[in-house]
Amino acid sequence: MKLWNELFELEGECVRLVPITLDHLDGLWEAAKPDEIWTYMATTVRSREEMEQMIASAIQKREKGTDYTFVVINQDNRIIGSTRYLDISEEHKSLEIGSTWYHPDVWRTRVNTECKYLLLRHSFESWQLRRVQLKTDSRNFRSQRAIERVGAVKEGTLRKDRKISGGYVRDTVFFSILRDEWGTVKKELARKLGIQ
């Protein structure tokens, strides 16, 4: 059972989140080339072929209803990254927002804040979920700060949680936002984004 019947987009002022397709291959590969994107990611994309495999896998998981991967497109209609819903559980009314990466040109801009706002709003208001979790490599302090700025609560660290690309076994820091916290989180995100 899937939470959606047909593909959908999420649109903000500076980004559009569109369902990933193989038509996005060239734009995603161009956006994914800087090495610093992949330093702490669980998987890396180092070739056009790996990007094509990542897209094909994302589409398969979307068809199963477990993941929903978006391509992030800016106001200039340029692909600047990707983000996804994963581990979607209709039964438990929960999911994770993750596998997020952006071209370094948009780091420390409003892009991530707006993407998270759109994803969280859809999770809590359209799908009526109870819990959204986010997680990151314990070494990735930039990502942890970004997740905290979104309003997520740090829950703890799973030690030696997973082997990532390159063979490193990482500690994973978990964060979450609950439905009864969404009103406060939404208000603060809207303030940061200048949304009325």
Side-chain angles (χ1 to χ4, degrees):
M1 183 74 180
K2 289 193 280 196
L3 284 171
W4 61 92
N5 295 317
E6 52 191 49
L7 297 183
F8 62 93
E9 295 183 9
L10 302 174
E11 187 162 357
E13 288 182 24
C14 77
V15 294
R16 277 186 309 124
L17 306 184
V18 302
I20 199 168
T21 70
L22 284 168
D23 292 338
H24 297 120
L25 175 59
D26 291 336
L28 282 167
W29 171 234
E30 196 57 41
K33 286 181 178 176
D35 285 340
E36 60 265 39
I37 292 171
W38 307 105
T39 303
Y40 300 113
M41 295 293 286
T43 57
T44 60
V45 177
R46 299 290 190 199
S47 69
R48 194 174 185 280
E49 292 71 31
E50 287 178 348
M51 181 61 75
E52 190 170 10
Q53 291 167 5
M54 188 275 291
I55 294 169
S57 172
I59 292 168
Q60 279 184 334
K61 290 176 180 178
R62 181 175 67 212
E63 288 169 356
K64 287 181 188 171
T66 60
D67 290 27
Y68 195 104
T69 302
F70 295 95
V71 174
V72 182
I73 300 175
N74 72 2
Q75 293 165 303
D76 300 327
N77 215 31
R78 183 172 64 95
I79 291 173
I80 55 173
S82 179
T83 190
R84 73 177 66 187
Y85 292 127
L86 58 148
D87 293 331
I88 299 168
S89 171
E90 188 175 21
E91 178 187 358
H92 298 295
K93 295 202 165 294
S94 67
L95 57 73
E96 179 180 329
I97 294 173
S99 296
T100 300
W101 62 269
Y102 306 111
H103 190 280
D105 284 354
V106 301
W107 290 1
R108 290 179 279 286
T109 69
R110 73 180 272 144
V111 166
N112 185 58
T113 303
E114 188 168 71
C115 285
K116 294 301 188 289
Y117 175 80
L118 295 170
L119 292 164
L120 289 164
R121 185 178 68 186
H122 190 80
S123 297
F124 291 119
E125 296 178 14
S126 296
W127 286 346
Q128 298 293 306
L129 299 182
R130 276 192 292 260
R131 172 187 167 84
V132 173
Q133 93 176 7
L134 305 98
K135 65 188 184 204
T136 190
D137 190 307
S138 65
R139 301 168 298 163
N140 192 347
F141 298 113
R142 184 179 56 80
S143 177
Q144 290 178 56
R145 285 191 301 272
I147 293 170
E148 288 172 340
R149 276 196 307 273
V150 166
V153 173
K154 183 176 179 179
E155 295 182 320
T157 302
L158 290 187
R159 299 175 303 156
K160 303 293 184 206
D161 176 48
R162 62 184 51 219
K163 187 166 102 175
I164 62 174
S165 57
Y168 181 80
V169 180
R170 81 176 195 187
D171 295 344
T172 303
V173 185
F174 281 75
F175 297 82
S176 70
I177 299 171
L178 306 179
R179 182 166 49 201
D180 56 2
E181 298 165 341
W182 171 235
T184 304
V185 170
K186 179 182 181 179
K187 195 177 295 183
E188 180 59 17
L189 287 173
R191 185 193 65 74
K192 288 177 179 174
L193 293 166
I195 297 170
Q196 298 302 317

